[in-house]
DNA sequence: TCGATCACG
DNA sequence: ACGTACGTGATCGAG
């Protein structure tokens, strides 16, 4: 006889448990549409575990139907006072149903009844029919249903483990039978369901009473026999409440359910449905399990031909639209070895380890033939790689990395395999699977492994390029892709290749100067502390300052005392050691990060540094710069600023020229908000901070704007751009929160357009789930409806900041493309070298200086037409330090 | 690998 | 009552 096993799941309870179990990682669990998925994920984990453990022949998930039930009719405060379900959980409920559909599991709800009642009723029917029943829930109340045939599995530690209650286990834990659970609840009540029980009687007392009297009814039959006590009075007084509570706790095992055991027979999952569902949820690990589950469904083996010098002509037979992948395995592609390449489309693929083949005319012609269009992954990387081989390419069509990033700034993995999976293309492994990670990372010796992987990449590009292009079109982002990001990739490649010359002698000179000063200060600090310790260790420093020297503790971090600058500044008067530490920190920073750090990354071949710009990293559309980061070279403090003297032109007699946008972000703000007052200030070329100062402090004349007042107004302007809060502003300029609040209110009254914009952006983010820049760059903000104040506030500030910072990024990107075009069109030797968010840096031969001084600002200020003028300031000198 | 710190816009 | 300014990267010490 086959065993009959029924699995009943309390849907709401398990969803709730899953949600809170993964609440800390809430923001990690969102899919591409910004939907939270943590509860769905947790529920899925639980399902996998439970199905595996109990191997059921029938399954049902019961849900609560709504707020009101027959219990609320008996007692209208039943489950009252519960905080309402967080929106991040509610939004997941419909998808939970889809998950169940995928598993081939029925779900059911019944108006006026709770999930418990459905479970109780069906469990009774199943027992009568000879089933073994397992009930899964997060709610211990359901243990009242345990019998010899029915086990109640209560989730513990989130939902990954369960505690199984049998009648024996209930007895062991509480000393009562399952049917007495309701008596227990009757006497003790239940705070989470908000019913009272008897005053002053909790679980302990209730159990004692039940041990003696067995049931509520019997207790009250003999209540007179109790000796006089406060408890006896309470019992008598709350008799009604006790009976009501018992009734409320009793699960209805006779609910009018319209679902039968026949309806819930379990026949297994619908794998196609689940795969589609997992893709939509971005559940990579479940997808993978499916795959490994699904027999030996190996990834498709693609046919390919290994290229050699002798069969190169085969490449000429390829269609004119194809994909090409050049493998530079190291992150730093300026120095990486070449592992090989693959090219092809449809079912013709060619592959080789020998990148020298690319120098053959078949390829060099193909890459510069306008009739061809080549799809790649990371155009900038490909361009730089080919350039190192002496090859140019000018017909790239789709860059799947860029496309993917523009569609969703979070999809920016540099691993094509991983990214393909995120877009639903599964016939490929990730680099980490094929090459390994960390120190074990290596290119496989086995040709078939490497070649198959490279060919799969090319095939993935064939499929994804077209698909993502359609998606971009849908988002109105085609223009952003083809007129800004793709051309920019090439411009950036050329800047990286150009590199910037570094004067090593100057750095070495600074290195010994700083070393000397550091050892002097170090000596003083040890004297003052009375011991030697590692000044660079915040932990050791904390002990010295706050334990040994007993200085007042201003702020703490998660791990101990804070020793950050703002804290030390407040301690300045306490001891001369503070000034020395601040000084030491400053110089140590310059020494380690800039002098020594920079020396480490100079290419010995040309005495230059070649940074790598990350074009697909930031959430706003800005670039970032690594190895080395040339976007944070010191400028604010003179000692650090001297580092810039080491950045020099690559030719004798040339100059470094720098042009920067003046207050772009505020100009963008004036444009986006349409605020008349703000626009007026820019149109009249006024000092914007002084103008703001006059408005918020109600000054009549510009002469009344003192430096301090201007400084405060400047902070307010910055605050507006960052998404202001009174607390943030008060911290920044050292005023009270109340004053800060007053400033902000006055500001909004003076600039009503700004106020409208701020509110409008938050609303847009709430309605559509994302915000956009002027060029339709998009940022999704899944936390905008969060019930967590802090997360929600952060999303709100981002909603207003991103269009500003992002539009400013759009503007300079356009300027860079135009600038590079002009330089090439005019055959100038001047090279664009660096971009620092609102600033472009060039090296210029003397005979081009006059032209460039005029050209750069005119290209930059006409990059985009705004409702206010853009302003550009230019300076130049013998090195970067002088160009300021 | 992570948190604290500090460099930039 | 919450607990915050927006966007980055490199270095260090410590687990």
């Amino acid at each position: 006889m086959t065993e009959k096993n029924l699995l009943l799941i309390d849907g709401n309870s398990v969803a709730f448990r899953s949600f809170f179990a993964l609440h800390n990682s809430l923001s990690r669990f969102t899919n591409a549409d910004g939907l939270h998925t943590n509860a769905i994920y947790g529920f899925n984990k639980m399902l996998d575990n439970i199905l595996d453990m109990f191997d059921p022949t029938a399954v049902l998930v019961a849900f609560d139907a709504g707020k009101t039930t027959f219990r609320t009719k008996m007692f209208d405060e039943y489950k009252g006072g519960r905080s309402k379900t967080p929106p991040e959980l509610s939004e997941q409920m419909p998808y939970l149903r889809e998950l169940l559909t995928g598993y081939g599991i029925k779900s059911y709800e019944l108006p006026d009844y709770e999930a418990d009642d459905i479970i109780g009723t069906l469990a009774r029917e199943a027992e009568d029919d000879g089933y073994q029943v397992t009930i899964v829930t997060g709610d211990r109340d359901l243990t009242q249903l345990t019998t010899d045939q029915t086990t109640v599995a209560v989730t513990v530690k989130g939902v990954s483990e369960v505690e199984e209650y049998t009648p024996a286990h209930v007895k062991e834990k509480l000393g009562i039978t399952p049917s007495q659970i309701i008596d227990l609840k009757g006497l003790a009540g239940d705070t989470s369901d908000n019913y009272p029980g008897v005053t002053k009687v909790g679980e302990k007392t209730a159990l004692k009473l039940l041990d003696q009297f067995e049931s509520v009814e019997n207790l009250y039959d003999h209540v007179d026999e109790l000796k006089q006590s406060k408890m006896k009075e309470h019992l008598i007084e709350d008799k009604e409440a006790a009976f009501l509570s018992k009734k409320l706790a009793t699960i209805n095992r006779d609910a009018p359910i319209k679902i039968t055991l026949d309806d819930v027979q379990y026949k297994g999952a619908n794998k196609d449905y689940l795969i589609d569902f997992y893709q939509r949820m971005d559940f990579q690990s479940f997808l993978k399990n499916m795959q490994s589950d699904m027999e030996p469904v190996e990834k498709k083996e693609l046919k390919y031909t290994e290229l050699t010098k002798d069969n190169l002509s085969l490449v000429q037979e390829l269609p004119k639209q194809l994909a090409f992948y050049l493998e530079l395995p190291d992150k730093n592609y300026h120095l990486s070895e070449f592992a090989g390449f693959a090219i092809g489309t449809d079912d013709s693929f060619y592959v080789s380890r020998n990148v020298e083949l690319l120098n053959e005319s078949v390829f060099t012609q193909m890459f510069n033939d306008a009739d061809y269009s080549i799809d790649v992954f990371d155009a900038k990387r490909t361009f730089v790689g080919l350039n190192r081989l002496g090859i140019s390419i000018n017909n790239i069509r789709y860059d799947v990395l860029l496309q993917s990033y523009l569609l969703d700034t979070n999809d920016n993995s540099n691993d094509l395999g991983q990214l393909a999976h995120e877009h639903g293309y599964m016939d490929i492994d990730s680099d980490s699977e094929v090459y390994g990670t960390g120190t074990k990372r290596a290119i496989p010796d086995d040709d078939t492994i490497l070649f198959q992987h490279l060919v799969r990449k090319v095939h993935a590009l064939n499929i994804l390029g077209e698909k993502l292009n359609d998606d971009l079109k849908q988002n109105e982002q085609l223009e952003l892709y083809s007129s800004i990001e793709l051309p920019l990739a090439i411009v950036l490649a050329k800047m990286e290749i150009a590199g910037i010359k570094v004067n090593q002698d100057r750095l070495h000179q600074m290195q010994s100067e700083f070393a000397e000063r550091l050892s002097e200060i170090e000596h003083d600090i040890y004297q003052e502390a009375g011991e030697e310790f590692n000044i660079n260790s915040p932990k050791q420093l904390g002990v010295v300052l706050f334990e040994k020297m007993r200085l007042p503790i201003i702020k703490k971090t998660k791990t101990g005392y804070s020793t950050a600058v703002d804290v030390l500044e407040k301690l300045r008067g306490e001891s001369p050691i503070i000034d020395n530490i601040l000084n030491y920190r400053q110089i140590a920073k310059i020494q380690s990060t800039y002098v020594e750090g920079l020396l480490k990354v100079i290419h010995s071949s040309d005495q230059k540094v070649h940074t790598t710009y990350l074009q697909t990293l930031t959430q706003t559309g800005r670039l970032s710069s690594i190895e080395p980061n040339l976007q944070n070279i010191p400028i604010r403090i003179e000692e650090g600023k001297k580092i810039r003297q080491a950045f020099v032109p690559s030719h004798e007699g040339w100059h470094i020229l720098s042009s920067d946008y003046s207050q772009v972000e505020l100009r963008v703000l004036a444009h986006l908000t349409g605020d008349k007052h703000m626009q007026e200030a820019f149109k009249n070329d006024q000092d914007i901070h002084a103008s703001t100062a006059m408005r918020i402090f109600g000054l009549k004349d510009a002469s009344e704007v003192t430096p301090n007042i201007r400084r405060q107004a400047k902070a307010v302007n910055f605050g507006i751009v960052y998404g202001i809060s009174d607390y943030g502003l008060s911290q920044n300029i050292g005023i009270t929160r109340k004053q800060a609040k007053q400033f902000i209110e006055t500001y909004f009254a003076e600039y009503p357009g700004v106020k409208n914009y701020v509110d409008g952006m938050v609303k847009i983010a709430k309605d559509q789930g994302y915000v956009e820049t002027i060029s339709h760059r998009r940022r999704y903000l899944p936390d905008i409806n969060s019930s967590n104040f802090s997360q929600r506030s952060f999303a709100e500030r981002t909603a207003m900041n991103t269009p500003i910072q992002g539009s400013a990024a759009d503007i300079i990107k356009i300027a860079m493309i135009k600038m590079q075009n002009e330089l090439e069109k005019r055959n100038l030797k001047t090279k664009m070298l660096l971009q620092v968010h609102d600033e472009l840096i060039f090296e210029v031969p003397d005979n081009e200086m006059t032209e460039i001084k005029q050209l750069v600002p005119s290209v930059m200020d006409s990059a985009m037409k705004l409702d206010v003028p853009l302003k550009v300031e230019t300076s130049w000198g013998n090195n970067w330090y002088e160009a300021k």
Side-chain angles (χ1 to χ4, degrees):
Chain A
M1 189 190 104
T2 54
E3 222 176 306
K4 297 201 281 186
N5 280 328
L6 172 65
L7 176 63
L8 294 167
I9 298 169
D10 183 346
N12 292 78
S13 161
V14 173
F16 217 78
R17 287 291 174 116
S18 311
F19 180 77
F20 284 104
L22 295 169
H23 195 248
N24 284 336
S25 9
L26 185 57
S27 50
R28 279 200 304 117
F29 284 97
T30 54
N31 74 353
D33 300 328
L35 173 81
H36 290 91
T37 55
N38 63 333
I40 306 168
Y41 184 91
F43 204 105
N44 198 138
K45 275 248 174 246
M46 177 281 299
L47 266 184
D48 284 345
N49 279 342
I50 298 289
L51 289 176
D52 202 42
M53 272 166 70
F54 299 104
D55 199 16
T57 56
V59 187
L60 177 76
V61 178
F63 286 99
D64 298 337
K67 272 203 150 75
T68 58
T69 61
F70 70 89
R71 288 188 182 86
T72 49
K73 280 172 201 152
M74 289 160 50
F75 180 59
D76 58 10
E77 276 154 67
Y78 178 71
K79 290 199 176 176
R82 273 201 184 181
S83 44
K84 72 169 199 287
T85 315
E88 297 90 335
L89 174 56
S90 320
E91 70 184 22
Q92 299 183 52
M93 297 308 280
Y95 297 94
L96 224 44
R97 307 283 183 125
E98 288 190 36
L99 173 71
L100 295 171
T101 309
Y103 266 85
I105 294 173
K106 287 272 181 330
S107 54
Y108 187 68
E109 62 186 41
L110 182 65
D112 282 338
Y113 291 86
E114 293 182 58
D116 300 4
D117 305 310
I118 300 169
I119 289 172
T121 306
L122 203 65
R124 182 185 49 76
E125 289 177 13
E127 287 184 0
D128 293 347
D129 204 21
Y131 275 85
Q132 285 294 322
V133 181
T134 305
I135 295 168
V136 180
T137 178
D139 184 352
R140 285 204 155 68
D141 290 6
L142 271 82
T143 52
Q144 66 183 269
L145 298 176
T146 51
T147 65
D148 292 339
Q149 273 172 268
T150 299
T151 310
V152 176
V154 178
T155 57
V156 289
K157 277 197 203 160
V159 290
S160 54
E161 283 174 40
V162 291
E163 181 176 9
E164 290 179 57
Y165 284 82
T166 57
H169 190 58
V170 173
K171 187 95 200 166
E172 185 189 322
K173 281 209 103 161
L174 297 171
I176 56 177
T177 64
S179 61
Q180 286 177 299
I181 296 276
I182 52 180
D183 296 288
L184 170 65
K185 292 277 163 184
L187 296 172
D190 187 319
T191 34
S192 78
D193 285 350
N194 199 39
Y195 54 83
V198 177
T199 311
K200 293 276 176 199
V201 172
E203 189 172 297
K204 284 232 170 96
T205 321
L207 288 172
K208 227 182 277 170
L209 288 166
L210 288 177
D211 191 42
Q212 198 179 345
F213 297 102
E214 309 231 309
S215 74
V216 172
E217 289 76 7
N218 193 45
L219 166 65
Y220 279 100
D221 286 348
H222 297 90
V223 73
D224 299 338
E225 298 163 19
L226 284 169
K227 61 175 191 289
Q228 194 56 41
S229 71
K230 261 272 179 270
M231 185 180 75
K232 184 174 176 183
E233 286 170 35
H234 289 312
L235 278 170
I236 293 167
E237 194 150 312
D238 292 339
K239 182 174 178 182
E240 214 175 301
F243 279 92
L244 174 67
S245 296
K246 177 170 174 179
K247 228 170 167 180
L248 288 169
T250 308
I251 289 171
N252 185 332
R253 309 207 62 177
D254 217 358
I257 56 171
K258 297 213 169 54
I259 195 160
T260 66
L261 288 166
D262 283 343
D263 297 332
V264 301
Q265 294 303 311
Y266 179 59
K267 300 191 186 67
N270 175 345
K271 297 204 165 163
D272 289 338
Y273 188 102
L274 267 188
I275 287 176
D276 176 69
F277 178 75
Y278 288 154
Q279 281 171 2
R280 284 188 289 128
M281 296 299 117
D282 290 346
F283 285 169
Q284 302 310 326
S285 62
F286 291 134
L287 270 173
K288 223 191 227 166
N289 291 345
M290 296 283 311
Q291 227 97 84
S292 55
D293 248 27
M294 281 170 84
E295 328 322 40
V297 177
E298 283 285 302
K299 297 198 166 59
K300 229 188 286 165
E301 286 287 329
L302 296 171
K303 289 211 182 96
Y304 61 84
T305 306
E306 181 176 357
L307 276 182
T308 64
K309 267 205 154 51
D310 304 322
N311 62 4
L312 273 178
S313 58
L314 286 170
V315 173
Q316 276 167 324
E317 310 295 317
L318 283 168
K320 291 201 157 51
Q321 291 175 349
L322 45 78
F324 169 69
Y325 188 89
L326 176 64
E327 190 70 293
L328 292 146
D330 291 351
K331 192 174 70 171
N332 187 332
Y333 48 70
H334 295 294
L335 299 168
S336 173
E337 55 165 338
F338 294 91
F341 70 93
I343 190 164
T345 187
D346 299 328
D347 47 12
S348 313
F349 298 107
Y350 301 98
V351 60
S352 173
R353 285 184 191 264
N354 181 10
V355 292
E356 292 298 328
L357 292 176
L358 294 167
N359 264 309
E360 301 289 333
S361 61
V362 193
F363 287 112
T364 54
Q365 280 171 22
M366 177 191 283
F367 291 154
N368 291 281
D369 181 341
D371 288 342
Y372 277 88
S373 55
I374 315 272
D375 301 338
V376 301
F377 184 76
D378 198 342
K380 182 160 65 71
R381 190 181 192 89
T382 308
F383 189 97
V384 172
L386 287 175
N387 180 264
R388 285 177 53 199
L389 297 166
I391 302 159
S392 65
I393 180 165
N394 63 14
N395 51 7
I396 293 175
R397 177 179 55 168
Y398 299 142
D399 174 346
V400 170
L401 173 61
L402 271 178
Q403 290 175 314
S404 177
Y405 166 72
L406 293 180
L407 288 168
D408 185 337
T409 46
N410 296 307
D411 290 343
N412 61 352
S413 168
N414 290 310
D415 185 327
L416 170 53
Q418 199 183 317
L419 209 129
H421 281 237
E422 276 163 37
H423 289 287
Y425 179 86
M426 311 309 290
D427 271 334
I428 185 170
D429 293 310
S430 66
D431 284 345
S432 45
E433 283 166 307
V434 181
Y435 302 154
T437 54
T439 49
K440 286 192 218 124
R441 190 176 155 101
I443 297 300
D445 290 331
D446 186 338
D447 280 352
T448 43
I449 294 177
L450 176 66
F451 289 169
Q452 185 61 225
H453 186 52
L454 294 183
V455 166
R456 279 177 177 155
K457 286 190 174 186
V458 166
H459 188 239
L461 294 176
N462 292 150
I463 306 289
L464 290 174
E466 207 58 62
K467 175 184 178 302
L468 300 188
N469 193 57
D470 288 346
D471 294 348
L472 287 170
K473 193 184 281 174
Q474 284 235 317
N475 289 0
E476 296 180 296
Q477 290 181 302
L478 270 190
E479 174 84 8
L480 171 63
Y481 170 75
S482 53
S483 304
I484 301 184
E485 295 299 338
L486 182 62
L488 181 72
I490 305 304
V491 173
L492 291 172
K494 290 174 180 171
M495 292 165 66
E496 293 178 7
I497 291 166
I500 184 164
K501 178 96 176 265
V502 178
N503 181 342
Q504 287 201 70
D505 295 342
R506 181 79 191 94
L507 287 182
H508 280 128
Q509 191 187 336
M510 294 175 84
Q511 188 177 29
S512 44
E513 280 171 28
F514 286 136
E516 201 169 310
R517 285 182 59 190
L518 279 174
S519 80
E520 281 168 24
I521 304 171
E522 200 179 277
H523 180 81
D524 288 351
I525 291 174
Y526 294 158
Q527 288 266 295
E528 282 148 0
E531 65 174 302
E532 296 200 357
F533 64 101
N534 188 341
I535 307 167
N536 285 320
S537 161
K539 198 177 166 192
Q540 294 183 31
L541 180 61
V543 172
V544 169
L545 294 183
F546 303 112
E547 287 175 17
K548 187 160 185 211
M549 302 182 65
R550 302 226 154 266
L551 297 178
I553 298 156
I554 310 266
K555 202 166 71 179
K556 285 197 158 190
T557 66
K558 273 181 225 168
T559 49
Y561 314 107
S562 170
T563 64
V565 190
D566 57 323
V567 171
L568 294 187
E569 274 183 345
K570 293 193 177 109
L571 295 173
R572 263 215 156 112
E574 305 277 342
S575 161
I577 197 174
I578 300 295
D579 272 324
N580 279 326
I581 289 166
L582 285 168
N583 216 336
Y584 180 91
R585 279 243 180 101
Q586 242 174 39
I587 295 170
K589 173 85 180 180
I590 300 168
Q591 180 78 314
S592 68
T593 304
Y594 297 103
V595 179
E596 287 165 356
L598 217 45
L599 281 167
K600 269 185 233 160
V601 292
I602 296 173
H603 289 218
S604 52
S605 53
D606 58 7
Q607 306 288 300
K608 288 177 171 182
V609 288
H610 300 266
T611 187
T612 299
Y613 288 106
L614 301 184
Q615 197 184 350
T616 57
L617 182 134
T618 68
Q619 297 299 306
T620 54
R622 275 190 174 182
L623 302 174
S624 88
S625 157
I626 57 167
E627 270 185 280
N629 180 357
L630 294 179
Q631 293 182 318
N632 71 345
I633 303 300
I635 191 167
R636 293 170 193 171
I637 296 158
E638 180 56 29
E639 275 154 323
K641 189 174 175 181
K642 292 234 158 67
I643 293 286
R644 293 179 174 228
Q645 294 171 338
F647 290 88
V648 295
S650 60
H651 297 86
E652 201 63 36
W654 288 32
H655 286 94
I656 298 287
L657 175 139
S658 157
S659 288
D660 67 290
Y661 284 110
S662 154
Q663 274 120 23
V664 243
E665 293 194 345
L666 284 174
R667 286 169 199 264
V668 168
L669 179 70
H671 171 84
L672 288 174
T673 61
D675 186 276
K676 290 285 166 286
H677 288 158
M678 200 175 226
Q679 293 198 353
E680 195 186 322
F682 282 122
K683 283 176 182 165
N684 297 330
D685 197 20
Q686 287 167 3
D687 174 343
I688 185 66
H689 301 314
S691 154
T692 302
M694 287 169 70
R695 289 196 177 273
I696 59 179
F697 294 104
L699 310 177
K700 294 270 183 315
D701 194 275
S703 63
E704 294 173 64
V705 181
T706 65
N708 189 42
I709 282 181
R710 185 176 179 281
R711 190 183 62 85
Q712 298 205 352
K714 186 174 170 181
V716 175
N717 277 330
F718 269 99
I720 295 292
V721 170
Y722 293 155
I724 201 155
S725 75
D726 49 13
Y727 179 87
L729 181 64
S730 71
Q731 286 295 299
N732 196 295
I733 50 179
I735 54 174
T736 66
R737 209 167 144 166
K738 216 170 177 175
Q739 284 173 308
K741 199 171 170 201
Q742 184 59 47
F743 280 11
I744 295 167
E745 275 168 23
T746 320
Y747 183 97
F748 282 141
E750 289 294 325
Y751 299 100
V754 177
K755 173 72 177 149
N756 272 335
Y757 165 83
V758 170
D759 297 344
M761 271 349 245
V762 172
K763 180 159 177 9
I764 285 175
K766 283 190 198 297
D767 291 348
Q768 61 188 21
Y770 61 88
V771 291
E772 281 183 323
T773 67
I774 297 175
S775 302
H776 297 288
R777 188 186 303 285
R778 208 176 255 216
R779 178 176 186 176
Y780 289 93
L781 298 168
D783 286 339
I784 196 81
N785 291 312
S786 171
S787 58
N788 178 313
F789 174 89
S790 178
Q791 290 185 359
R792 187 178 63 247
S793 305
F794 183 67
E796 287 171 359
R797 291 195 294 274
T798 335
M800 52 168 305
N801 170 268
T802 296
I804 299 168
Q805 193 181 114
S807 297
D810 294 346
I811 292 171
I812 195 164
K813 283 178 170 181
I814 294 169
M816 291 167 76
I817 295 161
K818 292 190 171 170
M819 202 54 232
Q820 185 66 29
N821 278 341
E822 281 300 321
L823 291 176
E824 287 174 16
K825 200 174 80 191
R826 299 179 183 214
N827 270 318
L828 294 168
K829 292 207 170 58
T830 294
K831 283 209 157 66
M832 181 157 58
L833 302 181
L834 305 175
Q835 188 252 44
V836 191
H837 308 307
D838 62 357
E839 176 186 15
L840 295 177
I841 292 128
F842 300 81
E843 57 177 9
V844 188
D846 276 0
N847 62 346
E848 294 178 6
M849 203 53 168
T850 321
E851 184 176 0
I852 292 291
K853 263 172 5 196
Q854 184 275 327
L855 179 64
V856 173
S858 83
V859 167
M860 283 174 75
D861 68 29
S862 64
M864 195 188 279
K865 180 93 189 81
L866 300 185
D867 293 344
V868 293
L870 289 171
K871 188 176 176 184
V872 176
E873 285 166 355
T874 301
S875 55
W876 63 94
N878 290 316
N879 53 51
W880 195 2
Y881 179 92
E882 290 179 16
K884 236 333 177 198

